[in-house]
């Protein structure tokens, strides 16, 4: 049985990523329809929940709140809507970097595992960067995901603001093009934080849609690096595949904030789109 429908509220992202401390290194969360893809949880949301559980455990060990620096996640199964539990283990407490392992279960099944590295994100200007050339804000002609129903689930489309560079999504016109998609996103009712930047690393449609392969493209492994706290405003996104071979394809996503700073890099290996059951 799926979880009851949830109304979209003023701050859907923050209210959908609440993690409760259950003691003994365990944390609980509720996956609702706001960040769902069909009847399954959105992968970016799951990574946020894993990161928050790990950060909570590390904060208890260090006595201070830390920033997420990296999260490496194995997607073993796709959780459905409803409650999940996360068990955590401290692997290292350090002055510069601390590390925790997280296991997410639903019922009696292991769903995801992750290793989270935490520390302090830099606040100084980069000495060098090479980032995609994307406008700081979406132009008037950018496509609105919710208005154009490009998202596979109304809940996710209604819970975030996402705009697409129309030239990079030929699949919506029944055409094909290179597996590169660009766009913009920001949360509703609040400014983006580092955890929303993590979500943004998995918010664009699969790049293989541009090759004429629509359908469900399950992530197998995703590693994200967080590089800075985002400035207020839109986050700029570019996702691209370097190689598509057999049933496997990769995606590299670059997330840049409104100030032109790199805030997240996400790389995943996934399966070519499968027919949705």
């Amino acid at each position: 049985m799926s979880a009851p429908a949830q109304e979209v509220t003023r701050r859907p992202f923050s209210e959908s990523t609440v993690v409760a401390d259950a003691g003994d290194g365990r944390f609980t969360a509720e996956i609702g329809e706001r960040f769902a893809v069909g009847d399954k949880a959105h992968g970016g949301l799951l990574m946020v929940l894993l990161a928050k559980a790990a950060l909570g455990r590390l904060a208890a060990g260090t006595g201070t709140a830390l920033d997420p620096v990296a999260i490496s996640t194995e997607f073993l199964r796709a959780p459905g809507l409803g409650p999940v539990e996360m068990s955590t283990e401290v692997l290292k407490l350090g002055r510069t970097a601390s590390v925790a392992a997280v296991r997410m279960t639903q019922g009696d099944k292991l769903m995801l595992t992750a290793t989270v590295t935490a520390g302090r994100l830099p606040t100084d200007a980069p000495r060098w960067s090479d980032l995609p050339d994307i406008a700081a804000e979406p132009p008037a002609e950018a496509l609105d995901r919710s208005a154009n129903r490009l998202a596979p689930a109304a809940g996710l489309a209604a819970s975030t603001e996402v705009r697409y560079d129309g030239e990079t999504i030929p699949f919506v016109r029944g055409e094909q093009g290179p597996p590169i998609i660009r766009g913009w996103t920001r949360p509703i009712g609040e400014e983006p934080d580092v955890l929303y930047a993590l979500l943004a690393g998995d918010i664009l449609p699969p790049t293989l849609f541009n090759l004429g392969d629509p359908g469900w493209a399950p992530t197998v492994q995703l590693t994200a690096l967080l590089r800075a706290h985002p400035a207020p405003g839109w986050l700029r996104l570019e996702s691209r595949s370097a190689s598509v071979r057999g049933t496997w394809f990769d995606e590299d996503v670059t997330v840049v904030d409104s100030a032109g700073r790199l805030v997240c890099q996400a790389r995943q290996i996934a399966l070519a789109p499968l027919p949705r059951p």
Side-chain angles (χ1 to χ4, degrees), residues 49-231:
L49 297 178
L50 291 165
K52 291 189 75 170
L55 293 173
R57 180 64 183 273
L58 292 172
T62 62
T64 185
L66 299 174
D67 299 320
V69 175
I71 176 169
S72 179
T73 306
E74 308 291 337
F75 289 76
L76 307 177
R77 298 178 179 86
L81 307 186
V84 294
E85 181 174 302
M86 292 164 285
S87 59
T88 62
E89 177 187 0
V90 175
L91 303 182
K92 173 188 176 182
L93 292 177
R95 288 180 296 179
T96 302
S98 296
V99 184
V102 192
R103 293 162 59 92
M104 177 183 286
T105 57
Q106 189 170 61
D108 59 354
K109 292 185 178 180
L110 179 62
M111 296 290 171
L112 293 89
T113 65
T115 302
V116 179
T117 302
R120 295 292 184 190
L121 292 175
T123 58
D124 51 337
R127 290 181 290 173
W128 183 86
S129 64
D130 182 14
L131 302 174
D133 184 13
I134 304 174
E137 296 187 357
E141 65 271 16
L143 299 184
D144 183 335
R145 180 178 63 185
S146 59
N148 290 276
R149 298 185 179 182
L150 302 183
L156 180 60
S159 299
T160 59
E161 286 195 78
V162 179
R163 304 290 185 272
Y164 295 120
D165 175 356
E167 294 185 0
T168 67
I169 51 170
F171 71 89
V172 302
R173 303 184 294 273
E175 302 171 0
Q176 295 187 21
I180 301 171
I181 297 178
R182 298 187 184 95
W184 301 260
T185 187
R186 63 184 179 186
I188 293 173
E190 57 189 316
E191 294 295 346
D193 62 7
V194 68
L195 291 174
Y196 190 83
L198 174 60
L199 176 86
D202 191 38
I203 205 168
L204 291 174
T207 52
L208 259 64
F209 283 12
N210 281 347
L211 298 182
D213 294 327
W216 181 39
T219 300
V220 175
Q221 205 281 346
L222 194 156
T223 296
L225 309 178
L226 289 311
R227 307 302 304 277
H229 289 277

Side-chain angles (χ1 to χ4, degrees), residues 4-75:
Q6 302 179 33
E7 295 181 1
V8 174
T9 57
R10 292 182 57 211
R11 301 174 67 199
F13 175 69
S14 290
E15 295 174 13
S16 298
T17 55
V18 174
V19 171
D21 190 339
D24 298 324
R26 297 178 299 110
F27 297 81
T28 60
E30 184 77 20
I31 298 173
E33 293 184 347
R34 297 189 192 114
F35 285 84
V37 180
D39 61 351
K40 300 296 183 181
H42 179 255
L45 177 80
L46 295 173
M47 293 187 70
V48 170
L49 297 178
L50 291 165
K52 291 189 75 170
L55 293 173
R57 180 64 183 273
L58 292 172
T62 62
T64 185
L66 299 174
D67 299 320
V69 175
I71 176 169
S72 179
T73 306
E74 308 291 337
F75 289 76

